[in-house]
Amino acid sequence: MSSQRRIIWTCLAVLAVFAFSKAEAAPTLQGSTGLANVVSADVLPAHSFSIGRYNRPGEKNEVVVFGLGQALEVGALHRTAGEQGAAVRWNVKWALAQEQILRPGIAVGVEDVGAQAQRTTYAVASKGLPFGLRLHAGVGNGRYHGLFGALEAPLLPQTKLFLEQDGRQWSAGVRVSVGPDFRLDAGHYAGKTYVGGSYTY
């Protein structure tokens, strides 16, 4: 192999290794940004917001999240669940470090600050991997039982599959980006299917 070809193949190999997936913050069913049930280290950019609605049998979740700075987001979850009625839960997440090529993003947060149901504190790291994969891993209390994590994988253009473990149970879902602002979600979590979508400005 000529030296020029060797250089070209080396460059292509390096690009493949560092083909990191793009972070796209969208709300979870719990109100913070992340996947379906597991949070990520991503926060919404300053002066942006995201709204979403997710339906499960016997339950409706409406969420809104605001980016209040380069490292801070605040959100609210309005959940209506059968005989339990409706409740509003407030969430906050602070990014300690932005994700870079060789370093994961790191964030800490609190869900259900007012303990309407179950206050949860956590720390989470997120890192893009080769071939469009993305890993999230963290530790928390409340609805998390110690360690939790999730793996995202590209399926088709603008479509991602993900598998989550919240410390108690597994869940899986798919997220489809419809243009730069809209996302559609569907999956199976806590023994029930869910469908929904979000808009991020």
Side-chain angles (χ1 to χ4, degrees):
M1 182 181 294
S2 70
S3 60
Q4 283 185 332
R5 287 184 180 177
R6 187 176 294 112
I7 291 171
I8 291 172
W9 282 108
T10 301
C11 291
L12 289 175
V14 170
L15 288 174
V17 169
F18 292 103
F20 297 98
S21 62
K22 181 183 177 183
E24 297 177 344
T28 66
L29 277 74
Q30 311 298 334
S32 300
T33 49
L35 303 177
N37 185 43
V38 168
V39 294
S40 69
D42 308 320
V43 297
L44 288 176
H47 313 300
S48 66
F49 68 90
S50 187
I51 56 174
R53 177 170 177 147
Y54 306 94
N55 293 336
R56 300 171 67 207
E59 178 183 298
K60 294 179 181 178
N61 297 293
E62 297 164 330
V63 300
V64 59
V65 188
F66 295 95
L68 298 183
Q70 294 303 317
L72 179 67
E73 72 174 34
V74 174
L77 162 68
H78 179 263
R79 173 170 291 163
T80 305
E83 297 179 356
Q84 299 177 14
V88 176
R89 305 174 192 176
W90 293 93
N91 305 322
V92 61
K93 181 163 54 168
W94 181 34
L96 301 178
Q98 297 294 323
E99 181 177 346
Q100 297 181 1
I101 291 179
L102 298 177
R103 186 185 71 189
I106 301 172
V108 295
V110 181
E111 293 181 346
D112 193 9
V113 174
Q116 294 294 314
Q118 186 178 40
R119 182 184 292 123
T120 297
T121 59
Y122 62 85
V124 61
S126 298
K127 186 70 182 75
L129 301 174
F131 312 111
L133 299 175
R134 197 154 189 256
L135 180 66
H136 312 276
V139 60
N141 60 13
R143 69 182 185 86
Y144 294 124
H145 269 204
L147 298 177
F148 63 88
L151 179 66
E152 295 180 68
L155 176 64
L156 296 168
Q158 308 302 317
T159 303
K160 292 184 179 181
L161 295 175
F162 50 85
L163 185 66
E164 304 175 305
Q165 166 56 245
D166 66 5
R168 295 176 179 167
Q169 55 198 347
W170 292 90
S171 57
V174 60
R175 174 169 287 166
V176 180
S177 296
V178 183
D181 302 323
F182 292 92
R183 291 173 182 81
L184 302 177
D185 291 80
H188 191 78
Y189 157 62
K192 298 179 180 180
T193 58
Y194 70 88
V195 294
S198 63
Y199 168 78
T200 301
Y201 172 80

